[in-house]
Amino acid sequence: MAEEAILGYLEKNAEISDSGRFADEFGLDHNEVVNVIKSLNGFRYVDAEDIKMEKWVLTDEGETYAATGSPEMQLFLAIPPEGIPREELQKKLGPSIFKIGCAQAAKNKWVVMGKQLISRKVQHVDDKVKNSLLQIKDGKEIYDDDVKALKARKLIVSQTWKVYSVKKGPSYAPRRKKVATDLTRENLQRGDWRELEFKEYNFNAKGQALLGGHLHPLLKVRQQIKNIFRQMGFEEMPTNNFVESSFWNFDALFQPQQHPARDAHDTFFLKDPSTTRELPEDYVERVKQVHETGGYGSKGYGYNWKREEANKNLLRTHTTAVTSRMLYMLAQKPFAPKKYFSIDRVFRNEAVDRTHLAEFHQIEGLICDRGLTLGDLIGVLYDFFSRLGMSKLRFKPAYNPYTEPSMEIFSYHEGFKKWVEVGNSGMFRPEMLLPMGFPEDARIIAWGLSLERPTMILYGVDNIRDLFGHKVDLGLVKKNPICRLGIDARSE
Ligand SMILES: N[C@@H](Cc1ccccc1)C(=O)O
């Protein structure tokens, strides 16, 4: 539309002197006209030059008067033939219209301002202000004196805007030629490439957005959980190796050697190297004692503890093996309160199904201090889980060889409308802490959960194999849910 109008106009006329007026005349939108001019100018169909123009526009006050009449007119019309007391007129018009109206009407000699009464001096007046404002709104010219008066009353302000003057350019044609974007096989066969005009390369155009790298959902949730631990003042533990001795994975945790978890059905044992090279001998002796006959107020398990069993290498079954190594080192130093966490991979000889994998990740946190109670553990768990967006918790008594009391942690899942198990926790037993060398009044509260469970909830994944393994689809990896668990995760 605009292009035809411009090229057509230039066929018969030397120039378009003002694109604004041109747009008005042809009933076109000026923005569209400007865009077409710029494009035609780029291809040298036209030569365009921009001109800065000043234009008057109405202020808010100007707009009101253009609609309701000037204050002086409103005042004049409110005066009855017999005149009106000042106060009454002011009440009728309101203080601001009254004030401006009086000043202007008096200046125009429309009214007589008596001591008591205000009365008309003439019978008919014109609302010149309103008329001028309407003219300006219509884009019409008015006398300079009137412009000055309106400007002085702040009813109009000037605005600069750009219009273009347009002449034929060196490549002018009454119609734009269609340019080819690609040279095709057909063009070559037909030979019409000779006549074709090709579109120039636009080296400034932005290329297609490239698909960059994405963090896997497990890595994103891991980062979020690390941030939460750090905000709560926890230090990260070195997560050591996947291969661990039975000693640190089980014995140090007061897990008896006949415990079913220590069976090859549940745990991956290593063939080569099948045993660990060294263990802290004094400590091993104390662990043996506590398993066999107890001590530190405990009766022990009363069985024959075997060093060969403790030496067996395995793939660690929980990150509590990271914790036991850390706590043993800590107990060798003067006692100090500490907060630690770890997040890393663990392995279990499990049948793989939609909620179980043979390898997964655990998140573990612990606090070591004097005077800690189960109440502290519950409080910390509320704090930790509510930072993940899971603030409705329930606890169920549970059993772990290394903690007493122990609690399973359940969280109400708003999306699934049910309580789901989210972790396990407890206070480490004296049978574990005292042989390590902790003072008798040291208390350690700890909890652990899988990284996969909250990630599945967060990403709406119901089969763990879609999250971890060779089948993970890129759509899931690119998905970027709001980093909160619970309701918002599902509604995403
Ligand atoms: N190790 C436990 C979690 C846990 C950690 C610390 C204390 C109590 C429990 C598990 O694998 O489920």
Side-chain angles (χ1 to χ4, degrees), residues 16 27-28 58 73 105 120 258 284 288 324 341-342 352 375 386 410-411 418 433 438-440 449:
I16 296 169
L28 298 166
L58 275 54
M73 191 63 172
R120 292 184 178 181
Q258 316 74 25
V284 170
K288 174 183 159 75
S324 63
F341 77 93
S342 72
V352 172
S386 61
F410 290 77
S411 168
K418 66 175 187 195
L433 300 182
F438 277 105
E440 256 187 48
L449 58 146

Side-chain angles (χ1 to χ4, degrees), residues 8 12 187 450-451:
K12 294 181 200 106
N187 293 146
S450 87
L451 176 62

Side-chain angles (χ1 to χ4, degrees), residues 206-221:
K206 289 208 174 89
Q208 209 177 12
L210 284 178
L211 184 61
H214 290 269
L215 287 181
H216 187 279
L218 285 171
L219 293 180
K220 287 192 231 171
V221 176

Side-chain angles (χ1 to χ4, degrees), residues 221 224 453-460 481-485 489 492:
V221 176
Q224 190 197 352
R453 173 66 63 90
T455 308
M456 284 169 78
I457 294 173
L458 186 54
Y459 283 79
I482 318 149
C483 270
R484 296 219 95 206
L485 308 178
E492 178 246 347

Side-chain angles (χ1 to χ4, degrees), residues 317-318 320 348 362 364 400 402-403 424-426 428 446-448:
T317 62
H318 53 183
T320 316
R348 288 184 193 173
Q362 276 194 330
E364 185 142 325
N400 297 310
Y402 38 92
T403 52
N424 189 354
S425 66
F428 285 132
W447 67 98

